[in-house]
Amino acid sequence: MKLFSYSSCSTCRRAIKWLENNDIPFELIDILGIPPTKAMLVSASEVYGGRKYLLNTSGLIYRTIGSEVVKKMSDKEFFEKLFIEPRLIKRPFLYKSNKCLLVGFKEEKWAEKLL
Protein backbone atom coordinates (compact mmCIF):
# COMPACT_ATOMS: atom_id res chain seq x y z
CA MET A 1 0.00 0.00 0.00
CA LYS A 2 1.38 3.38 -1.02
CA LEU A 3 0.70 6.62 0.82
CA PHE A 4 1.49 9.71 -1.24
CA SER A 5 2.01 12.50 1.23
CA TYR A 6 3.44 15.99 1.63
CA SER A 7 5.61 16.52 4.72
CA SER A 8 4.17 19.90 5.70
CA CYS A 9 0.54 18.76 5.31
CA SER A 10 -1.14 18.36 8.72
CA THR A 11 -3.85 16.12 7.23
CA CYS A 12 -1.15 13.81 5.86
CA ARG A 13 0.51 13.66 9.29
CA ARG A 14 -2.83 12.70 10.88
CA ALA A 15 -3.31 9.94 8.28
CA ILE A 16 0.21 8.58 8.90
CA LYS A 17 -0.40 8.55 12.66
CA TRP A 18 -3.75 6.77 12.14
CA LEU A 19 -2.14 4.09 9.94
CA GLU A 20 0.66 3.55 12.46
CA ASN A 21 -1.76 3.43 15.43
CA ASN A 22 -3.77 0.76 13.58
CA ASP A 23 -0.66 -1.26 12.65
CA ILE A 24 -1.37 -0.90 8.94
CA PRO A 25 1.84 -1.21 6.91
CA PHE A 26 2.38 1.33 4.15
CA GLU A 27 5.07 2.77 1.94
CA LEU A 28 5.41 6.52 2.48
CA ILE A 29 6.08 8.45 -0.74
CA ASP A 30 6.73 12.17 -1.14
CA ILE A 31 3.99 13.24 -3.55
CA LEU A 32 6.11 16.10 -4.92
CA GLY A 33 9.04 13.82 -5.78
CA ILE A 34 7.05 10.84 -7.01
CA PRO A 35 3.40 11.65 -7.76
CA PRO A 36 0.75 8.97 -8.28
CA THR A 37 0.77 7.62 -11.81
CA LYS A 38 -1.79 8.83 -14.33
CA ALA A 39 -3.39 5.36 -14.17
CA MET A 40 -3.77 5.68 -10.38
CA LEU A 41 -5.32 9.14 -10.80
CA VAL A 42 -7.76 7.90 -13.43
CA SER A 43 -8.73 4.95 -11.20
CA ALA A 44 -9.29 7.32 -8.27
CA SER A 45 -11.57 9.52 -10.33
CA GLU A 46 -13.58 6.43 -11.35
CA VAL A 47 -13.82 5.17 -7.75
CA TYR A 48 -14.89 8.60 -6.46
CA GLY A 49 -17.26 9.29 -9.33
CA GLY A 50 -15.52 12.29 -10.84
CA ARG A 51 -12.24 14.04 -11.25
CA LYS A 52 -13.22 17.02 -9.05
CA TYR A 53 -12.72 14.84 -5.95
CA LEU A 54 -9.00 14.61 -6.68
CA LEU A 55 -8.37 18.33 -6.47
CA ASN A 56 -6.73 20.23 -3.65
CA THR A 57 -9.05 23.21 -4.13
CA SER A 58 -7.65 25.10 -1.15
CA GLY A 59 -4.13 25.18 -2.58
CA LEU A 60 -2.43 28.15 -4.20
CA ILE A 61 -1.80 26.33 -7.49
CA TYR A 62 -5.52 25.56 -7.93
CA ARG A 63 -6.54 29.12 -7.06
CA THR A 64 -3.92 30.48 -9.48
CA ILE A 65 -5.18 28.31 -12.35
CA GLY A 66 -8.82 28.93 -11.48
CA SER A 67 -11.78 26.59 -11.32
CA GLU A 68 -13.13 27.65 -14.72
CA VAL A 69 -9.89 26.72 -16.49
CA VAL A 70 -9.78 23.36 -14.70
CA LYS A 71 -13.41 22.61 -15.60
CA LYS A 72 -12.68 23.25 -19.30
CA MET A 73 -9.70 20.86 -19.40
CA SER A 74 -10.13 17.61 -21.28
CA ASP A 75 -9.54 14.47 -19.22
CA LYS A 76 -6.17 14.05 -20.89
CA GLU A 77 -5.15 17.64 -20.02
CA PHE A 78 -6.52 17.30 -16.48
CA PHE A 79 -4.63 14.11 -15.57
CA GLU A 80 -1.46 15.37 -17.25
CA LYS A 81 -1.69 18.58 -15.18
CA LEU A 82 -2.11 16.62 -11.93
CA PHE A 83 0.87 14.46 -12.77
CA ILE A 84 3.06 17.46 -13.67
CA GLU A 85 1.84 19.58 -10.75
CA PRO A 86 1.15 17.16 -7.87
CA ARG A 87 0.30 20.02 -5.48
CA LEU A 88 -3.07 20.01 -7.27
CA ILE A 89 -3.80 16.52 -5.91
CA LYS A 90 -5.83 16.30 -2.71
CA ARG A 91 -3.70 14.77 0.00
CA PRO A 92 -3.06 12.28 1.35
CA PHE A 93 -3.51 9.93 -1.59
CA LEU A 94 -3.57 6.28 -0.55
CA TYR A 95 -3.31 3.59 -3.20
CA LYS A 96 -3.91 -0.06 -2.38
CA SER A 97 -5.37 -1.21 -5.70
CA ASN A 98 -7.36 0.21 -8.63
CA LYS A 99 -10.53 -0.39 -6.61
CA CYS A 100 -9.18 0.65 -3.20
CA LEU A 101 -7.98 4.24 -3.20
CA LEU A 102 -8.50 6.93 -0.63
CA VAL A 103 -8.15 10.65 -1.29
CA GLY A 104 -8.00 13.05 1.63
CA PHE A 105 -8.27 11.78 5.20
CA LYS A 106 -11.60 11.00 6.81
CA GLU A 107 -11.02 8.57 9.68
CA GLU A 108 -14.42 6.86 9.30
CA LYS A 109 -13.90 6.21 5.59
CA TRP A 110 -10.36 4.93 6.12
CA ALA A 111 -11.54 2.61 8.91
CA GLU A 112 -14.31 1.28 6.66
CA LYS A 113 -11.87 0.51 3.84
CA LEU A 114 -8.79 -0.61 5.78
CA LEU A 115 -9.86 -2.21 9.07
Side-chain angles (χ1 to χ4, degrees), residues 42-57:
V42 169
S43 291
S45 101
E46 291 168 355
V47 167
Y48 277 84
R51 62 189 205 177
K52 68 181 180 180
Y53 300 104
L54 305 182
L55 290 167
N56 174 16
T57 56

Side-chain angles (χ1 to χ4, degrees), residues 7-104:
S7 62
S8 63
C9 171
S10 61
T11 306
C12 293
R13 288 193 300 270
R14 282 196 338 265
I16 290 167
K17 186 175 180 179
W18 185 87
L19 289 167
E20 290 172 345
N21 287 344
N22 286 284
D23 296 320
I24 298 171
F26 63 96
E27 177 186 355
L28 184 60
I29 300 169
D30 178 0
I31 198 167
L32 298 183
I34 303 171
T37 66
K38 290 177 200 166
M40 288 176 185
L41 295 168
V42 169
S43 291
S45 101
E46 291 168 355
V47 167
Y48 277 84
R51 62 189 205 177
K52 68 181 180 180
Y53 300 104
L54 305 182
L55 290 167
N56 174 16
T57 56
S58 61
L60 179 63
I61 302 286
Y62 178 81
R63 290 192 312 258
T64 301
I65 294 170
S67 63
E68 290 307 311
V69 171
V70 172
K71 286 177 189 174
K72 292 177 183 174
M73 289 179 180
S74 69
D75 282 348
K76 183 179 179 186
E77 291 169 324
F78 178 82
F79 292 112
E80 181 68 25
K81 189 71 168 172
L82 289 183
F83 185 74
I84 290 169
E85 187 47 78
R87 282 177 250 176
L88 281 171
I89 302 169
K90 186 171 186 151
R91 303 174 300 264
F93 185 98
L94 183 93
Y95 178 84
K96 187 173 181 183
S97 72
N98 283 343
K99 298 295 177 197
C100 185
L101 300 115
L102 293 163
V103 180

